[in-house]
Amino acid sequence: MKNSNFGFIGIGNMASAIIGGILSTNFIKPENIYMYNHHPEKMQHFVDAGCIPCTSLGELAETCSTIFLCIKPQVFPDVLLKLQPLVANKKANDVLFVSIAAGITFQNLQSALGADRLYVRAMPNTPLLLGKGATSLSRTSNVSSDDFKQICDIFSCCGLVREVPEEQINAVIAVSGSSPAYLYLLAKLACDYAEQRGMDRKTALDLFCQTMTGSAEMLLNSGKDPQTLIDMVTSKGGTTFALLGVLREHGFDETMLASFAACEQRAKELSM
Ligand SMILES: NC(=O)c1ccc[n+]([C@@H]2O[C@H](COP(=O)([O-])OP(=O)(O)OC[C@H]3O[C@@H](n4cnc5c(N)ncnc54)[C@H](OP(=O)(O)O)[C@@H]3O)[C@@H](O)[C@H]2O)c1
């Protein structure tokens, strides 16, 4: 496979974060980045940076050997239907498709575009926008180590990358793909409470965010597992003890586990 030109279909939040990461690290030259969005104005920012806008899917498919599918899962059936005849004349090994969509399986892609083509699935998250994302990647067995490394390197421009088997990629959505939402929800609730108690919202947000960052550092670097770290903050009869008691009483663990399962179930439903 020749990885000279990289095409992005759907220039929304995620594609913008990935392209932004690539450009900020100079990993790929802008003149090797092609884009197609059905609303062309969404590409203008990257046109200004030297990337190439395509006026049709056909133009992108013809020029690119790696095609990132960055549209919403609901749009996949239509885009794949249009893409199939446009890549039909390419040899199976000549084009690698990278899908970042929740729920769209290798089987969906293989049925639509061909069983023996090269496929990678990625599950990124929105902190990619700051180069601090977390992306899980899976590949079909025919993707070579070199080709896969190149895709890993692209996502590494925007943060941390880990490989997972495809059967785990829906479970990972609860861990990293959708998890910014429940962390933001915790931040919002803590700030709401602080405000009710007369505190300045910005001060509360600063304190909460520093606590999230510091806690993440503790989890990564203290050598201690999460339960040990919880125990270290929790003296019997103390304030954290009271906080955790209420969480337990209100079924926090069960609620979170049920929400993770709902996330995975929804990904399965988004499959074509
Ligand atoms: N957002 C997240 O946190 C997150 C995390 C992990 C994975 N993902 C996955 O990333 C994918 C993209 O998500 P996103 O948040 O970046 O969505 P988004 O911001 O809506 O971006 C999708 C873009 O595709 C464009 N588009 C729609 N139909 C098109 C078509 N037929 N041809 C070309 N372009 C088309 C949309 O344009 P218009 O809006 O103008 O229609 C939009 O600019 C999804 O599959 C999602 O599952 C997202």
Side-chain angles (χ1 to χ4, degrees), residues 58 61-62 83-92 94-95 113 117:
E62 194 175 321
L83 207 48
Q84 192 279 330
L86 301 172
V87 294
N89 63 345
K90 294 197 181 216
K91 281 195 255 152
D94 278 357
V95 58
L113 297 172
R117 293 202 180 276

Side-chain angles (χ1 to χ4, degrees), residues 10-14 37-39 42 70-73 100-102 124 126:
I11 310 301
N13 293 315
M14 280 296 146
N37 202 86
H38 64 162
H39 292 134
K42 296 263 172 83
C70 303
I71 57 259
K72 294 277 187 197
I100 67 164
T126 46

